[in-house]
Amino acid sequence: NCNLTIPAQFICDRCNSDYVTNLNSDFSLVYIFDKKENVESTNVFFISSKEDKIDITNDVIDYANLTIPLKKLCTEDCKGLCYSCGVNLNLEKCNCKKEEMGPTFEPLLKLKNKLN
């Protein structure tokens, strides 16, 4: 049984800022000194009875890589960057003039309002 905690540094996908977080993963690995049988588990490994050590390095690295999130966010409510001037909206408010939405996106706005 493994309880893996990894400190990791990422760049936020919304605001492009560096941040540090801990990635956590709990998993189990089973090593059996026997010939290979028909076991349908991905966490069961058969090794030769002649082996005196088990190297779990590659398995731990694989599980560590699986904990990396697809969308890396510094915080859940990250506001991102202003699409016009590029200022980080988490740190300051931009002074950009907000433009009216064209009629092309009006059906999407109606759909958004229905979902909210």
Side-chain angles (χ1 to χ4, degrees):
N1 293 325
C2 298
N3 182 346
L4 189 62
T5 301
I6 308 157
Q9 182 174 353
F10 296 116
I11 297 175
C12 181
D13 289 338
R14 286 188 189 157
C15 68
N16 206 33
S17 297
D18 290 335
Y19 71 99
V20 177
T21 187
N22 285 327
L23 303 176
N24 299 307
S25 177
D26 295 320
F27 59 93
S28 297
L29 300 171
V30 178
Y31 293 90
I32 300 174
F33 291 105
D34 201 357
K35 60 183 178 180
K36 189 169 186 172
E37 297 176 10
N38 290 334
V39 177
E40 300 262 341
S41 177
T42 57
N43 292 346
V44 176
F45 301 96
F46 294 93
I47 55 178
S48 170
S49 59
K50 297 175 185 173
E51 298 289 329
D52 62 339
K53 296 178 184 173
I54 300 172
D55 184 10
I56 66 170
T57 305
N58 290 332
D59 297 321
V60 171
I61 290 171
D62 289 343
Y63 276 96
N65 286 330
L66 288 172
T67 63
I68 298 173
L70 294 176
K71 187 168 199 140
K72 298 164 197 74
L73 298 177
C74 57
T75 60
E76 287 295 320
D77 60 341
C78 176
K79 297 176 184 174
L81 301 174
C82 173
Y83 65 89
S84 186
C85 68
V87 72
N88 186 340
L89 297 174
N90 296 313
L91 303 175
E92 59 185 286
K93 186 174 181 176
C94 71
N95 295 322
C96 294
K97 187 176 184 182
K98 303 296 180 201
E99 295 180 17
E100 289 292 321
M101 188 179 308
T104 308
F105 293 104
E106 196 134 335
L108 289 175
L109 184 60
K110 288 179 185 177
L111 180 63
K112 178 185 171 192
N113 291 335
K114 282 183 184 178
L115 294 175
N116 290 335

